[in-house]
């Protein structure tokens, strides 16, 4: 670039041109700076997520409400002078005579304490004398439940049934909580699913979602079924030897059933997707094996190549015969 008489000017011009070219050069954006394109979700993925979210809301909402069973106003009890309000029974609580919610544990402890007191009072000689005196006077009801063997037995029966009912209800709550948690986890897995590079990783994703939803759906179905059977047996047993109003199934139970149906549908969609993926992989392997086996026919010959050339058989002797056969004997 050194030119006598004008070298500085030439060098400045070249430098300006180089800088201008460098700054105006289109910059190549790296892969890290490019926004990652998200794979659009398939209709099956949307169905799974919608069913999971709907089922989780129904199951979790039903587990913590107190309207699994409802006993209407009983005219028999009202005629006896005792006010009987509409009673609601839930998994964790029930409504009292004042329509306030009370936990099942508190009710069970109170009834069992009464059963112990009545049993202890009924075994005494003094209490038996009071019962006889009250019966002769025609006012045995004024002595209370402890003076009536049938009432004492019914209180003991209620204590036993309430204890079992509390334990079964806690198991139902645990099952439904597991079902709702599995549904939310499966929805999150489907939402964050990406197309894996390896077929094994993609298969593991689909298998994990399918198995999780199958377990969640089983818990959501088993919970309401167990409650319906066990609570029905409890109310019928309590009404066997005393007047105890039977409570019908109410909206919380049916909400749990709807949630179980939603989770079952989500499990069916996930399982069908997993089976379809496995079938496509099996078909692909079968197609690849067929292409390998038939590659030679499409290319102009069998894949195993032509058989080796066989030359003429070796001549054992002169004239093609063994020694001593075609040759005359030597003298």
């Amino acid at each position: 670039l050194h030119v006598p008489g004008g070298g500085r000017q030439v060098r400045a011009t070249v430098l300006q041109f180089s800088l201008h070219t460098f700054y105006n050069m289109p910059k190549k954006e790296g892969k890290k700076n490019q926004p990652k394109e998200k794979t659009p979700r398939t209709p099956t993925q949307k169905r799974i997520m919608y069913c999971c979210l709907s089922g989780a809301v129904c199951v979790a909402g039903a587990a913590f409400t107190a309207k699994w069973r409802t006993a209407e106003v009983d005219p028999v009890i009202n005629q006896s002078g005792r006010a009987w309000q509409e009673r609601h029974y839930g998994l964790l609580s029930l409504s009292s005579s004042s329509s306030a919610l009370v936990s099942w544990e508190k009710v069970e402890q109170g009834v069992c304490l009464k059963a112990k007191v009545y049993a202890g009072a009924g075994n005494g000689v003094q209490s038996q004398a009071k019962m006889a005196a009250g019966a002769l006077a025609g006012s045995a009801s004024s002595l209370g439940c402890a003076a009536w063997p049938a009432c004492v037995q019914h209180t003991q029966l209620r204590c036993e049934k309430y204890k079992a009912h509390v334990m079964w209800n806690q198991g139902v709550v645990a099952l439904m909580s597991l079902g709702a948690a599995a549904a939310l986890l499966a929805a999150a897995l489907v939402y964050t699913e990406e197309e894996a590079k390896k077929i094994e990783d993609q298969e593991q994703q689909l298998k994990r979602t399918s198995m999780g939803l199958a377990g969640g759906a089983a818990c959501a179905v088993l919970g309401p079924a167990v409650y319906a059977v066990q609570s029905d047996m409890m109310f019928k047993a309590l009404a066997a030897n005393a007047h105890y109003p039977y409570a019908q199934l109410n909206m919380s139970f049916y909400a749990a059933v709807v949630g179980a149906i939603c989770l079952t549908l989500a499990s069916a969609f996930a399982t069908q997707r997993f089976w379809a993926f496995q079938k496509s992989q099996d078909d692909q392997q079968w197609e690849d094996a067929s292409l390998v086996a038939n590659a030679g026919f499409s290319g102009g010959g069998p894949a195993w190549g032509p058989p080796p050339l066989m030359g003429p058989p070796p001549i054992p002797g002169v004239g093609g015969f063994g020694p001593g056969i075609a040759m005359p004997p030597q003298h």
Side-chain angles (χ1 to χ4, degrees):
L1 297 175
H2 181 69
V3 179
R8 293 181 179 179
Q9 184 177 0
V10 172
R11 285 196 295 271
T13 304
V14 172
L15 180 60
Q16 291 177 358
F17 178 76
S18 301
L19 292 175
H20 177 75
T21 305
F22 175 76
Y23 283 110
N24 292 328
M25 183 180 299
K27 297 181 180 181
K28 296 182 179 180
E29 295 183 359
K31 294 183 178 179
K32 295 183 179 180
N33 297 328
Q34 294 179 355
K36 189 175 181 181
E37 296 182 359
K38 294 184 178 180
T39 306
R41 294 184 179 86
T42 62
T44 304
Q45 287 179 320
K46 294 180 180 179
R47 294 191 197 102
I48 293 174
M49 288 190 295
Y50 293 155
C51 290
C52 285
L53 295 177
S54 302
V57 170
C58 291
V59 170
F64 298 98
T65 54
K67 285 191 177 182
W68 281 71
R69 283 186 178 272
T70 299
E72 302 293 339
V73 177
D74 194 290
V76 177
I77 298 180
N78 289 337
Q79 289 176 3
S80 63
R82 298 169 55 193
W84 176 270
Q85 302 293 334
E86 188 179 56
R87 295 290 182 92
H88 301 291
Y89 301 89
L91 296 178
L92 301 176
S93 61
L94 69 157
S95 61
S96 62
S97 58
S98 60
S99 301
L101 293 180
V102 185
S103 65
W104 271 108
E105 290 82 358
K106 187 175 181 180
V107 173
E108 176 259 325
Q109 292 174 1
V111 172
C112 290
L113 180 60
K114 287 183 180 180
K116 290 181 180 179
V117 172
Y118 294 163
N123 293 330
V125 178
Q126 185 179 3
S127 63
Q128 294 178 2
K130 287 182 178 181
M131 289 173 57
L136 292 175
S139 59
S141 59
S142 62
L143 298 178
C145 184
W148 293 85
C151 184
V152 174
Q153 293 177 2
H154 182 72
T155 306
Q156 293 175 351
L157 179 64
R158 286 176 61 186
C159 175
E160 296 174 2
K161 294 299 180 181
Y162 285 177
K163 280 184 178 180
H165 191 63
V166 168
M167 294 177 60
W168 281 105
N169 282 1
Q170 291 175 352
V172 172
V173 171
L175 286 174
M176 299 186 67
S177 300
L178 288 175
L184 294 176
L185 181 60
L189 289 176
V190 174
Y191 182 79
T192 58
E193 271 184 1
E194 294 182 357
E195 189 174 354
K197 296 181 180 179
K198 295 183 179 181
I199 296 178
E200 293 80 5
D201 297 340
Q202 189 174 358
E203 185 177 1
Q204 286 298 323
Q205 285 182 354
L206 301 179
K207 184 178 180 181
R208 196 182 306 118
T209 305
S210 176
M211 293 182 64
L213 276 177
C219 292
V221 171
L222 190 60
V226 169
Y227 176 82
V229 174
Q230 194 274 332
S231 60
D232 177 76
M233 294 173 61
M234 181 192 72
F235 282 108
K236 288 181 178 179
L238 293 177
N241 60 351
H243 183 78
Y244 198 95
Y246 184 84
Q248 302 290 338
L249 295 171
N250 206 343
M251 62 180 186
S252 296
F253 171 80
Y254 296 113
V257 171
V258 172
I261 293 174
C262 291
L263 294 187
T264 304
L265 290 175
S267 176
F269 291 144
T271 304
Q272 187 271 337
R273 185 179 64 153
F274 177 62
W275 287 350
F277 178 81
Q278 284 189 325
K279 185 177 182 301
S280 64
Q281 295 303 313
D282 295 340
D283 294 343
Q284 184 65 35
Q285 292 179 359
W286 178 260
E287 184 179 354
D288 294 342
S290 301
L291 289 176
V292 170
N294 299 326
F297 294 100
S298 61
W304 51 82
L309 298 177
M310 298 178 62
I315 302 176
V318 180
F321 299 96
I325 296 178
M327 297 179 63
Q330 299 179 1
H331 299 281

